[in-house]
């Protein structure tokens, strides 16, 4: 099963200390994606990408430690930093480490204020609002964003096939491809192969990271927000890390890392709650509750994400796929949030509009 461990024995279900997820010695994972042009194993599987799991500490504790000891050493490119501007961060916004753990889909600040209600402290949710509205609306938002991610992989593939982008992608010449196209092509590869095989390079730099932690009286160990090789979720870990915003490739032009897709599921959700797989025959996500023990993660759902074949142009106009893939959640043609003029001011309503695509054949929901 997925596990988070503090200073106890593997599977002990120890609680996290307050704020421990931000501590320097807390472990996380990311998926590093590279061209498969010179990788015989990936090529043999028919893949155009090579995937590696990096498992490291959040921050460097000792400046004398090697660079690959933490995620401090991975700096983000300008486009990724811009995309993450509304996401919570703790530390240097230029470094990947400052965004760990990822929160999943986030609401606009003004919507959170509306949800909190003016009569309560707007810095936190009241229990009534939290229980009735926040989780239910967030699940719907996650479903929309996953649907849009699927549409984006379709549109970028269709677009790439019209130009040299597809040959550049298969030949590993990624620096010649626009990032919006390359992101979708990489995500498509992950959807196509997620669940069929584990990562090409599953081992972290330090192979002891996945070993059981020391005895409970040893407090030197940090928490681990990791999907373990012994977990049911390990087979689909590439899809899990893509969905949580923890998949990256190296942007050679800037010499920095680029995020493939935004965070839709949180780091905690992919570690605690979900084991992901892909089903090519369905149009709606399917949940299956798995039997767990009394130890953490307590509850686990096997989630089958829909990824049917791309519809033909006779079934669905490719321009409509693009419209849905790129539709902003605020304003635009297909807004997620509803607003209303109240006392001369436009305010958010506790309601949603386009939570599913207005076109046929695009998967309705994946959350």
């Amino acid at each position: 099963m997925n596990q988070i461990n503090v200073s106890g024995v593997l599977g002990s279900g120890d609680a996290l200390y307050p704020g421990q997820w931000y501590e320097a010695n807390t472990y996380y994972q990311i998926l590093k994606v590279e061209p498969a042009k010179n990788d015989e194993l990936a090529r043999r599987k028919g893949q155009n990408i090579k995937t590696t799991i990096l498992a490291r500490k959040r921050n460097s504790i000792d400046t004398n430690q090697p660079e690959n000891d933490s995620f401090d050493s991975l700096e983000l490119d300008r486009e990724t930093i811009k995309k993450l501007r509304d996401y919570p961060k703790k530390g240097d916004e230029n470094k990947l480490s400052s965004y760990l753990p990822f929160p999943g889909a986030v609401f606009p600040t003004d919507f959170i204020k509306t949800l909190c209600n003016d009569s309560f402290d707007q810095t936190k949710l009241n229990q009534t609002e939290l229980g009735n509205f926040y989780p239910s609306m967030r699940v719907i938002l996650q479903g929309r964003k996953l649907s849009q991610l699927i549409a984006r992989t379709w549109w970028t593939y269709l677009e790439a096939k019209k130009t040299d982008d597809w040959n550049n992608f298969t030949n590993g010449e990624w620096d010649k491809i626009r990032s919006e196209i390359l992101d979708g092509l990489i995500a498509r590869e992950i959807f196509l192969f997620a669940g069929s095989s584990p990562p090409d390079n599953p081992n972290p730099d330090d192979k002891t990271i996945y070993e059981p932690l020391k005895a409970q009286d040893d407090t030197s160990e940090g928490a681990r927000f990791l999907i373990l090789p012994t977990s049911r979720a390990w087979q689909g870990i590439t899809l899990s890390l893509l969905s949580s915003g923890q998949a990256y490739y190296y942007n050679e032009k800037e010499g920095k890392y680029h995020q493939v897709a935004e965070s839709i599921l949180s780091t905690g959700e992919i570690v605690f709650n979900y084991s992901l797989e892909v089903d090519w025959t369905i149009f709606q996500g399917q949940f299956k509750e798995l039997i767990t023990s009394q130890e953490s993660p307590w509850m686990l759902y096997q989630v089958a994400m829909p990824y049917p074949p791309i519809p033909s142009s006779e079934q669905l106009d490719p321009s409509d796929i693009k419209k849905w893939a790129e539709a902003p959640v605020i304003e635009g043609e297909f807004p997620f949030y509803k607003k209303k003029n109240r006392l001369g001011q436009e305010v958010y309503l506790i309601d949603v509009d386009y939570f599913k695509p207005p076109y046929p054949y695009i998967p309705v929901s994946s959350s």
Side-chain angles (χ1 to χ4, degrees):
M1 295 300 178
N2 303 5
Q3 303 284 353
I4 281 186
N5 302 87
V6 190
S7 57
V9 179
L10 188 67
S12 65
D14 292 335
L16 285 164
Y17 300 120
Q20 193 173 17
W21 40 93
Y22 288 133
E23 289 188 358
N25 64 344
T26 298
Y27 282 95
Y28 290 96
Q29 291 163 317
I30 70 163
L31 181 72
K32 181 181 179 182
V33 185
E34 302 169 274
K37 58 180 179 178
N38 296 321
D39 190 276
E40 185 178 343
L41 175 62
R43 282 298 194 183
R44 203 161 55 234
K45 296 177 181 177
Q47 296 175 245
N48 293 304
I49 62 172
K50 171 186 172 183
T51 55
T52 303
I53 301 296
L54 301 183
R56 299 179 180 178
K57 294 174 183 175
R58 188 176 186 274
N59 304 111
S60 297
I61 300 174
D62 184 350
T63 54
N64 295 321
Q65 289 178 326
E67 263 193 6
N68 64 1
D69 177 71
S70 79
F71 286 118
D72 273 350
S73 61
L74 305 187
E75 294 195 349
L76 302 175
D77 66 6
R78 290 188 295 269
E79 186 177 337
T80 299
I81 294 171
K82 183 179 179 181
K83 286 193 299 184
L84 292 171
R85 63 182 179 272
D86 294 327
Y87 280 76
K89 60 188 73 70
K90 189 176 179 65
D92 186 346
E93 69 173 9
N94 298 295
K95 295 182 178 181
L96 193 155
S97 57
S98 67
Y99 299 93
L100 296 170
F102 274 96
V106 294
F107 291 118
T109 301
D110 287 343
F111 178 78
I112 289 292
K113 290 179 179 178
T114 301
L115 192 62
C116 289
N117 194 325
D118 292 340
S119 61
F120 296 102
D121 182 353
Q122 293 184 350
T123 63
K124 60 184 179 181
L125 289 173
N126 177 271
Q127 289 292 337
T128 300
E129 284 74 29
L130 178 64
N132 282 283
F133 307 115
Y134 183 87
S136 56
M137 293 193 68
R138 184 171 176 274
V139 166
I140 298 172
L141 177 60
Q142 288 174 320
R144 166 172 165 143
K145 286 182 174 290
L146 285 166
S147 175
Q148 289 186 282
L149 175 59
I150 292 169
R152 194 173 301 122
T153 68
W154 288 359
W155 172 74
T156 53
Y157 174 73
L158 295 173
E159 192 72 10
K161 294 289 282 188
K162 297 178 186 176
T163 66
D164 291 333
D165 284 343
W166 180 248
N167 288 332
N168 290 333
F169 180 66
T170 58
N171 292 331
E173 298 176 322
W174 290 6
D175 58 320
K176 298 180 180 180
I177 307 173
R178 288 175 293 156
S179 61
E180 62 176 335
I181 300 295
L182 180 55
D183 292 349
L185 294 177
I186 291 173
R188 175 179 177 271
E189 291 276 320
I190 293 174
F191 272 104
L192 289 177
F193 294 96
S196 61
S197 61
D200 303 314
N201 297 284
N203 296 322
D205 304 310
D206 180 0
K207 293 180 174 57
T208 64
I209 291 173
Y210 291 145
E211 292 179 1
L213 298 179
K214 298 179 181 179
Q216 242 175 331
D217 58 354
D218 189 318
T219 59
S220 63
E221 297 288 350
R224 300 195 296 181
F225 270 77
L226 305 175
I227 297 174
L228 301 180
T230 53
S231 167
R232 287 287 296 269
W234 181 261
Q235 196 76 358
I237 189 174
T238 56
L239 184 58
S240 293
L241 293 174
L242 172 72
S243 302
S244 65
Q246 291 168 241
Y248 298 84
Y249 64 86
Y250 188 68
N251 179 347
E252 293 186 356
K253 293 178 181 178
E254 293 189 33
K256 297 179 181 180
Y257 281 80
H258 179 91
Q259 185 186 50
V260 176
E262 68 175 308
S263 175
I264 300 173
L265 300 176
S266 71
T267 303
E269 284 172 316
I270 65 167
V271 171
F272 275 128
N273 295 112
Y274 299 128
S275 173
L276 304 182
E277 62 181 27
V278 172
D279 192 321
W280 299 342
T281 66
I282 60 177
F283 284 82
Q284 293 179 308
Q286 296 180 354
F287 282 74
K288 178 183 178 183
E289 185 176 345
L290 301 181
I291 299 173
T292 63
S293 67
Q294 292 290 16
E295 298 175 346
S296 110
W298 310 295
M299 184 185 301
L300 185 65
Y301 295 100
Q302 182 76 39
V303 181
M305 288 191 175
Y307 198 70
I310 301 174
S312 68
S313 57
E314 288 77 20
Q315 295 171 318
L316 180 61
D317 192 318
S319 65
D320 290 335
I321 298 177
K322 182 182 180 182
K323 281 182 185 178
W324 177 245
E326 298 181 342
V329 293
I330 303 174
E331 312 300 345
E333 189 175 356
F334 308 123
F336 175 77
Y337 300 97
K338 284 188 176 181
K339 293 183 178 181
K340 186 176 182 179
N341 189 291
R342 182 184 180 190
L343 302 177
Q345 184 179 5
E346 194 174 43
V347 297
Y348 283 93
L349 300 178
I350 310 301
D351 195 5
V352 300
D353 203 346
Y354 287 92
F355 65 90
K356 62 180 182 179
Y359 308 110
Y361 297 104
I362 301 177
V364 174
S365 173
S366 310
S367 178

